[in-house]
C-alpha cells in the first residue's frame, strides 16, 4: 500500500453536473499532483499543489480546479462535466517538489463516468 | 509533438522470451526518467528509474540515451506476471511526470 487514499472509488455523474474527488496524501508528503487517465491513454498531468498553493498546471480548462488543505490532503473539482471527462483520476503524493521521482506514490484512483 | 512517444503494441510474447520497449521524449530539459508498470484498471506503479549509465534490476534492464532522447526497457525471461502496460515517464520540473500512452505486453503460456 502506498498510503495515498482516494475517494470515491467509482462514481457516475450527468453531463453538466459538478464533481469533487478527494485525496489523502501519504504521511509527511506536502506535494500532491492530480492526473487524468482516459481509456487507452497514459495519465495526463492536471495540476500540482505544494503547501496549499497551486504549483504548476497542465493543459486543462479552468473548470478543473483544486484545493490543498493544511493537512496536505487535496480535492479536485470539475464543473460543467462533459462526456470526455469520463476517466480514471489519479492522485500522487511526494515529500517535496525536488525530491526524486522514486518517492512519488499514486493512489488507486477514482473512476468517473459522465453520462 | 507529443511529450512522450511509445509504440502502443500490443506485444504478445511466449513465456521465457526477451522483449524490448522503446520510447522517445521531446523535452530535452528532462532530468529524471522512469518506467512505470500499470495493471488493468489499477494505478501506475514505479518499476525502475533510468540512468544514463544504464541500470539493471533482476530481469529488467533500462537504458537512457540523452543525445537521442530515447529510453528503452528490456525484459528477459518473461513471466506471465509481467503482463501489463509499461509506461515511459520523463519527469519535468517540480516532480511532474509526463506519461506516454504505454505499451501493452501480454505474456502467453
Amino acid at each position: 500500500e502506498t498510503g495515498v487514499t482516494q475517494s470515491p472509488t467509482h462514481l457516475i455523474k450527468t453531463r453538466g453536473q459538478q464533481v469533487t474527488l478527494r485525496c489523502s496524501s501519504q504521511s509527511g508528503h506536502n506535494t500532491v499532483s492530480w492526473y487524468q487517465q482516459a481509456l487507452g491513454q497514459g495519465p495526463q498531468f492536471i495540476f500540482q499543489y505544494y503547501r496549499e498553493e497551486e504549483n504548476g498546471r497542465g493543459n486543462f480548462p479552468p473548470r478543473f480546479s483544486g484545493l490543498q488543505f493544511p493537512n496536505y490532503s487535496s480535492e479536485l473539482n470539475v464543473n460543467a462535466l462533459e462526456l470526455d471527462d469520463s476517466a480514471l483520476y489519479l492522485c500522487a503524493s511526494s515529500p517535496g517538489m525536488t525530491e526524486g521521482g522514486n518517492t512519488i506514490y499514486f493512489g488507486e484512483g477514482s473512476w468517473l463516468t459522465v453520462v | 509533438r507529443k511529450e512522450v512517444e511509445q509504440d502502443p503494441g500490443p506485444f504478445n510474447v511466449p513465456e521465457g522470451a526477451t522483449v524490448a520497449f522503446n520510447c522517445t521524449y521531446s523535452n530535452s530539459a528532462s532530468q529524471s526518467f522512469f518506467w512505470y508498470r500499470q495493471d488493468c484498471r489499477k494505478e501506475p506503479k514505479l518499476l525502475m528509474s533510468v540512468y544514463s549509465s544504464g541500470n539493471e534490476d533482476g530481469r529488467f534492464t533500462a537504458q537512457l540515451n540523452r543525445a537521442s532522447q530515447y529510453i528503452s526497457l528490456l525484459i528477459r525471461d518473461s513471466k506471465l506476471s509481467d503482463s501489463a502496460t509499461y509506461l515511459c515517464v520523463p519527469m519535468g520540473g517540480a516532480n511532474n511526470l509526463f506519461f506516454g500512452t504505454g505499451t501493452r505486453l501480454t505474456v502467453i503460456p
Side-chain angles (χ1 to χ4, degrees), chain B residues 4 24 40 48 54 56 67 77 87-88 93-94 101 105 108:
Chain B
V4 180
T24 56
C40 189
M48 59 195 303
E56 192 172 303
D77 189 22
L87 297 152
C88 167
T101 54
L105 170 67
I108 304 163

Side-chain angles (χ1 to χ4, degrees), chain A:
Chain A
E1 296 303 320
T2 63
V4 180
T5 58
Q6 292 187 242
S7 64
T9 53
H10 295 80
L11 70 166
I12 300 173
K13 289 285 189 177
T14 303
R15 191 171 46 183
Q17 284 188 313
Q18 178 266 345
V19 69
T20 297
L21 308 178
R22 296 180 175 83
C23 172
S24 293
S25 57
Q26 188 180 94
S27 178
H29 284 192
N30 57 24
T31 303
V32 172
S33 300
W34 286 91
Y35 293 81
Q36 179 197 64
Q37 186 172 20
L39 200 61
Q41 301 296 316
Q44 298 299 306
F45 174 69
I46 303 175
F47 44 55
Q48 181 185 83
Y49 279 83
Y50 171 67
R51 295 192 174 187
E52 304 177 59
E53 298 283 334
E54 185 178 294
N55 177 57
R57 189 179 182 93
N59 188 27
F60 281 82
R63 59 190 185 83
F64 286 77
S65 63
L67 205 56
Q68 187 177 34
F69 300 99
N71 66 355
Y72 303 135
S73 66
S74 177
E75 285 182 357
L76 164 66
N77 299 292
V78 187
N79 294 322
L81 283 167
E82 301 176 0
L83 297 180
D84 285 350
D85 296 332
S86 297
L88 174 65
Y89 288 85
L90 294 159
C91 168
S93 81
S94 60
M97 286 193 300
T98 57
E99 298 293 332
N102 57 1
T103 58
I104 297 173
Y105 298 99
F106 282 87
E108 294 187 354
S110 294
W111 288 93
L112 171 65
T113 301
V114 182
V115 298

Side-chain angles (χ1 to χ4, degrees), chain B residues 17-66:
Chain B
T18 295
V19 61
F21 305 137
N22 306 312
C23 95
T24 56
Y25 62 94
S26 61
N27 185 354
S28 59
S30 296
Q31 292 298 313
S32 301
F33 304 87
F34 308 94
W35 281 99
Y36 274 74
R37 170 200 169 120
Q38 187 171 26
D39 294 295
C40 189
R41 301 183 69 81
K42 297 287 190 180
E43 75 278 17
K45 293 184 179 175
L46 179 65
L47 178 66
M48 59 195 303
S49 303
V50 187
Y51 304 118
S52 295
S53 54
N55 50 298
E56 192 172 303
D57 182 1
R59 299 181 292 108
F60 299 84
T61 301
Q63 294 277 354
L64 166 65
N65 183 322
R66 285 186 189 272

